[in-house]
Amino acid sequence: MWAPKAVLEAPILAQWRTVGVTALLAIALVVASALWLGRIIARSVGRAARAAIALGEGGPLTLSGTPVTEVNTLMAQLQGAAARRKAAEHNLQASKDRLQLAFDATQLGWWQYDPLRHMASGDARFKEIFDVTADEISIEDFMKRVHPDDAERFRANREAALDPANPKPYVDHEYRVRRRDGEVRWVEGHGLAYFEGAGPQRRLVSFGGTVQDITERKEREEKEHLLMREINHRAKNMLSVVDSIAHQTVARSSEDFIERFSERIQALSANQDLLVRNEWNGVEIADLVRAQLAHFADLIGSRITVQGLKLRLNPASAQAIGLALHELATNAGKYGALSTDRGRVDVRWGIDGDTLAMSWTERDGPPVSAPQRRGFGTIVMEAMAERSVDGTVDLDYAPSGLTWRLTCPATTTLEMAERQPHFS
């Protein structure tokens, strides 16, 4: 048989064309599917990458589902990491808040020193104490704040703490700082230095600590020291007065020494009680008179008149005048106006210009005459009172009743004068 070659090869060529087209279509389909899957995976991975970047930068983490299970697992892990980070940040902030509360409660400020840049920084309390407005201050500018009298000691303590050869890691000292307006404040500082390495290779890593304004404490300490010296001085003076009272009492009246001496010590004690109660800031004359007339308190307002301005005696004057009032009250009770049921006593005081005048006047009592001898009571009422207040005493033994009148400079006798009348 005979047939054309083209007729015989036509089916084979058609089959090959079909196979080729089918292969091309399959390849195109595979490529398209791969591109589609790659796009899905790329977008999913891109979301995960953006979420990871946001998490690393501390921003909010935005999560959404993807078609890729593995990416979803990764996103879930990122979400867990974000939650843990948020919890850690919350705990850290709570810890910082508690620490700041402790600093605020104790009025402490914190500071730190950068050894590489030679700069110091601190919190708001640190800035307030050292009168600093910037967030950082150089060590040179800081040293200008330290009082010149304390600068060398401060510098020596700091160098000892930061000496890598022989460090003294912990340092505490008190020093003064001078603010920009010239005000001087006392400061207590504590510092702790940390080093790396050992021997010659030791290197300072950090240096920080706390600072506190202790100006009020230093003022109280100074006041206490002054008070102790004043107490010591007054105690010596008091012992001298007691010694004088003892010698004069036994010399003048040995028979009733114990009774008279005890009464005079009690009078001195009453003066001391008033001075201590007023923190040694003086004693009002009205309170002093009432204290020395305590045995006749029920007669004040009826047979005893107490009248004068509201004036405050200084401690030395209060002691002397208090003892004089005690002797006057004792004499009045034993021999004078208060020894009868009818006698009266007027105690008055006031200011005439720059002069303080005080008087004790008795009337309606038994007839009075001058004593035969000058006893210790008379010395207290006259000589001791005059010397103590740099004044003059007029003691008159008139038959109608004893009169004692003291005049002295108000400026050296009184703590302060409030010109308000006092009556009782």
Side-chain angles (χ1 to χ4, degrees), residues 66-272:
T66 69
V68 182
T69 303
E70 290 77 3
V71 174
N72 289 339
T73 302
L74 176 60
M75 297 283 274
Q77 292 176 350
L78 288 176
Q79 188 175 21
R84 290 190 295 273
R85 187 196 69 181
K86 186 174 182 181
E89 290 176 348
H90 175 76
N91 293 336
L92 179 61
Q93 186 60 46
S95 178
K96 288 182 177 179
D97 292 341
R98 288 193 297 269
L99 180 60
Q100 191 60 52
L101 178 62
F103 277 124
D104 293 340
T106 55
Q107 295 185 332
L108 287 173
W110 62 263
W111 58 270
Q112 59 185 6
Y113 172 67
D114 185 343
L116 298 178
R117 300 168 51 242
H118 303 288
M119 299 292 288
S121 59
D123 64 355
R125 183 67 177 164
F126 169 86
K127 294 180 180 179
E128 177 188 352
I129 291 174
F130 291 98
D131 197 14
V132 175
T133 56
D135 293 334
E136 292 184 323
I137 182 173
S138 67
I139 191 63
E140 292 79 11
D141 289 339
F142 181 85
M143 288 302 302
K144 294 177 182 178
R145 297 282 198 278
V146 180
H147 194 280
D149 294 343
D150 299 332
E152 187 60 34
R153 179 167 53 87
F154 179 91
R155 187 178 292 105
N157 288 338
R158 175 177 169 274
E159 291 177 354
L162 304 182
D163 182 9
N166 186 24
K168 180 186 176 184
Y170 182 76
V171 60
D172 64 303
H173 48 192
E174 295 178 357
Y175 54 95
R176 287 163 291 179
V177 296
R178 190 164 53 188
R179 296 163 62 89
R180 286 179 295 178
D181 60 1
E183 181 186 11
V184 175
R185 307 289 294 179
W186 273 98
V187 172
E188 180 180 55
H190 298 269
L192 190 61
Y194 288 95
F195 294 86
E196 279 185 350
Q201 303 301 322
R202 185 182 287 113
R203 183 176 65 88
L204 177 66
V205 176
S206 64
F207 186 39
T210 62
V211 65
Q212 183 179 19
D213 189 325
I214 59 169
T215 304
E216 293 182 0
R217 189 182 80 188
K218 297 295 288 188
E219 290 175 349
R220 287 196 301 270
E221 290 176 357
E222 182 63 24
K223 186 176 181 180
E224 289 172 1
H225 293 157
L226 290 174
L227 182 59
M228 291 301 297
R229 290 194 290 268
E230 182 67 16
I231 289 175
N232 182 53
H233 173 70
R234 294 184 187 280
K236 290 180 179 179
N237 288 345
M238 182 64 65
L239 290 175
S240 298
V241 172
V242 171
D243 181 70
S244 176
I245 290 175
H247 281 82
Q248 292 291 338
T249 303
V250 71
R252 299 294 182 178
S253 56
S254 58
E255 297 83 5
D256 59 346
F257 167 76
I258 297 298
E259 179 182 357
R260 297 300 301 276
F261 181 73
S262 177
E263 289 175 353
R264 285 162 178 163
I265 294 301
Q266 288 175 10
L268 205 58
S269 176
N271 292 345
Q272 287 293 108

Side-chain angles (χ1 to χ4, degrees), residues 80 82 154 169 209 327 394:
F154 179 91
E327 295 298 334
D394 179 19

Side-chain angles (χ1 to χ4, degrees), residues 195-375:
F195 294 86
E196 279 185 350
Q201 303 301 322
R202 185 182 287 113
R203 183 176 65 88
L204 177 66
V205 176
S206 64
F207 186 39
T210 62
V211 65
Q212 183 179 19
D213 189 325
I214 59 169
T215 304
E216 293 182 0
R217 189 182 80 188
K218 297 295 288 188
E219 290 175 349
R220 287 196 301 270
E221 290 176 357
E222 182 63 24
K223 186 176 181 180
E224 289 172 1
H225 293 157
L226 290 174
L227 182 59
M228 291 301 297
R229 290 194 290 268
E230 182 67 16
I231 289 175
N232 182 53
H233 173 70
R234 294 184 187 280
K236 290 180 179 179
N237 288 345
M238 182 64 65
L239 290 175
S240 298
V241 172
V242 171
D243 181 70
S244 176
I245 290 175
H247 281 82
Q248 292 291 338
T249 303
V250 71
R252 299 294 182 178
S253 56
S254 58
E255 297 83 5
D256 59 346
F257 167 76
I258 297 298
E259 179 182 357
R260 297 300 301 276
F261 181 73
S262 177
E263 289 175 353
R264 285 162 178 163
I265 294 301
Q266 288 175 10
L268 205 58
S269 176
N271 292 345
Q272 287 293 108
D273 287 341
L274 287 174
L275 289 170
V276 171
R277 193 182 309 153
N278 289 279
E279 299 181 351
W280 289 89
N281 291 322
V283 177
E284 289 190 13
I285 296 179
D287 293 337
L288 186 65
V289 172
R290 288 178 175 276
Q292 296 302 338
L293 287 172
H295 292 304
F296 307 101
D298 56 331
L299 300 180
I300 296 177
S302 57
R303 294 173 53 197
I304 300 176
T305 301
V306 179
Q307 180 178 341
L309 295 173
K310 187 176 181 180
L311 303 176
R312 184 180 291 272
L313 297 168
N314 60 40
S317 301
Q319 285 186 342
I321 294 176
L323 285 175
L325 290 172
H326 166 74
E327 295 298 334
L328 289 167
T330 300
N331 279 348
K334 289 186 175 181
Y335 316 111
L338 300 181
S339 64
T340 67
D341 296 334
R342 298 178 56 255
R344 302 177 67 85
V345 174
D346 291 334
V347 184
R348 302 176 186 272
W349 64 90
I351 294 180
D352 183 8
D354 294 330
T355 301
L356 169 67
M358 187 173 184
S359 65
W360 172 291
T361 305
E362 300 180 21
R363 53 190 172 87
D364 299 334
V368 175
S369 59
Q372 297 296 321
R373 60 185 178 86
R374 185 180 174 84

Side-chain angles (χ1 to χ4, degrees), residues 24-52:
L24 290 174
L25 289 175
I27 292 172
L29 180 61
V30 169
V31 171
S33 298
L35 291 174
W36 176 68
L37 290 175
R39 187 181 181 88
I40 292 175
I41 294 173
R43 279 190 296 199
S44 299
V45 173
R47 291 180 186 176
R50 288 191 294 273

